[in-house]
Amino acid sequence: MTHPSLAMISQEEFALFRDLMYKVAGVCFSESKRHLVSGRLARRIRECELPDFGAYYRLVTSEYGKEEFHRMIDLLTTHETYFFREPKHFEFLAQHVIPQRLKAKGERETLRVWSAASSTGEEPYTLAMVLMELLGDKHPWEIVATDISRESLSRAQSGVYTTSRLDGLPTGFLRKYFLKGTGSREGTVRIVPELRHKVSFREANLTSSLGSLGEFDVAFLRNVLIYFDMQTKQGVVNRVVQQIRKEGWLFIGHSESLNGLTTSMQQEKPTVYRKQSK
């Protein structure tokens, strides 16, 4: 039975969580998201045996509530993704971007690709499959995957997915890059070790410094800019572009745009940009 005080978050309580999420993650919650915030937090508040949203807010902003703070971030960030999402991007990556970057690099210089909002791992593992098909062991390469959600990163590192998540995989990829679960694991698959080892997962907040990640030849920043206001979007794009090498590439989501932003990226085709050499 729902606790009466958790039936719906008050406007004042919603404002507290809205402002907190904007401060720590740059995420903008409009009034229309009030029901979403209320629903996602209510169950966790009951699990913590707290009386109301106000008590939960005090917990996550306290010195001893750091772990719960990260749980809140997980609950209030979006993790919707799937393998080979927006497939035209991966076709263009394989046919144009990677060949261009290899020409600009030495034989032993590692090709670095970044999945900047990796969620539960479907995007970086898709990138790994594309590069494994294209390069194999002929040229050194690596995928770096970052996300603000610890829970999503943990799930991604395990490489375990339900079979219902595999729609859209090219023919033969399921057999080649996934191990079928048996017994208690029936209905699941796991990314093969040789592919998992090509992807490193790291916790990172796109609204903070990203310099420790190093430079990349290609960055995928897809389906995350839509959650930011223009000021935050500009800051995030600045930080991401700073990590892209000269003449490197940036991919954003098909529902996104860099219109109105100041950037050194030149649009090559819709949602695909290349960093200018100067």
Side-chain angles (χ1 to χ4, degrees):
M1 182 175 179
T2 302
H3 192 291
S5 65
L6 298 183
M8 181 61 183
I9 191 171
S10 71
Q11 274 194 312
E12 293 78 12
E13 291 166 334
F14 171 69
L16 290 173
F17 288 100
R18 179 198 63 204
D19 294 348
L20 180 60
M21 286 297 293
Y22 183 77
K23 179 181 179 181
V24 301
V27 177
C28 295
F29 286 141
S30 64
E31 177 63 28
S32 65
K33 299 295 185 181
R34 188 173 157 197
H35 281 275
L36 179 146
V37 171
S38 183
R40 291 189 179 180
L41 294 184
R43 180 178 177 182
R44 184 59 190 161
I45 291 169
R46 289 192 290 270
E47 289 173 350
C48 292
E49 299 183 345
L50 293 172
D52 51 38
F53 290 95
Y56 188 69
Y57 178 82
R58 290 190 292 276
L59 171 63
V60 299
T61 55
S62 68
E63 184 66 27
Y64 55 86
K66 290 182 179 179
E67 284 301 314
E68 193 59 38
F69 169 81
H70 287 287
R71 179 70 67 92
M72 180 204 68
I73 295 290
D74 293 332
L75 291 170
L76 296 183
T77 49
T78 302
H79 310 301
E80 177 58 33
T81 185
Y82 45 90
F83 291 101
F84 284 89
R85 185 179 187 180
E86 301 174 358
K88 293 293 184 182
H89 277 166
F90 300 105
E91 293 176 16
F92 188 76
L93 177 74
Q95 295 170 9
H96 300 281
V97 175
I98 298 304
Q100 180 272 325
R101 290 309 297 160
L102 291 182
K103 284 183 180 179
K105 301 177 75 66
E107 290 184 6
R108 297 184 180 181
E109 189 180 356
T110 300
L111 179 78
R112 303 188 77 227
V113 180
W114 179 20
S115 172
S118 61
S119 187
T120 46
E122 286 89 338
E123 179 178 271
Y125 286 131
T126 298
L127 289 167
M129 284 184 259
V130 170
L131 291 185
M132 188 67 82
E133 290 290 304
L134 195 64
L135 300 178
D137 295 324
K138 293 183 293 185
H139 188 100
W141 58 273
E142 68 171 334
I143 310 291
V144 175
T146 62
D147 203 89
I148 194 174
S149 168
R150 289 183 178 180
E151 183 178 340
S152 293
L153 289 170
S154 178
R155 290 175 59 190
Q157 284 177 311
S158 75
V160 176
Y161 300 92
T162 60
T163 52
S164 63
R165 304 291 298 171
L166 304 179
D167 292 344
L169 274 177
T171 305
F173 276 38
L174 179 58
R175 182 175 61 254
K176 190 172 185 179
Y177 294 116
F178 295 84
L179 301 172
K180 189 175 181 181
T182 59
S184 63
R185 290 282 188 177
E186 189 173 354
T188 68
V189 293
R190 191 177 194 191
I191 303 288
V192 295
E194 53 267 37
L195 204 66
R196 289 204 316 275
H197 296 158
K198 285 289 192 177
V199 183
S200 61
F201 291 93
R202 307 183 196 178
E203 183 180 341
N205 186 336
L206 295 175
T207 65
S208 301
S209 174
L210 302 167
S212 63
L213 299 174
E215 292 187 323
F216 296 91
D217 297 282
V218 183
F220 273 59
L221 181 70
R222 304 193 307 166
N223 305 302
V224 64
L225 293 176
I226 53 175
Y227 299 106
F228 302 139
D229 62 16
M230 284 298 289
Q231 181 180 347
T232 306
K233 193 182 296 186
Q234 180 70 71
V236 167
V237 169
N238 287 348
R239 292 182 195 92
V240 170
V241 169
Q242 193 171 9
Q243 305 308 126
I244 299 176
R245 290 171 173 150
K246 289 181 180 179
E247 298 189 2
W249 296 78
L250 172 69
F251 290 76
I252 63 174
H254 286 318
S255 62
E256 298 171 317
S257 169
L258 298 187
N259 290 343
L261 301 178
T262 302
T263 175
S264 58
M265 305 301 290
Q266 180 75 39
Q267 187 174 34
E268 296 291 326
K269 58 184 299 182
T271 71
V272 180
Y273 298 81
R274 189 175 179 184
K275 192 170 187 177
Q276 297 177 30
S277 58
K278 293 183 180 180

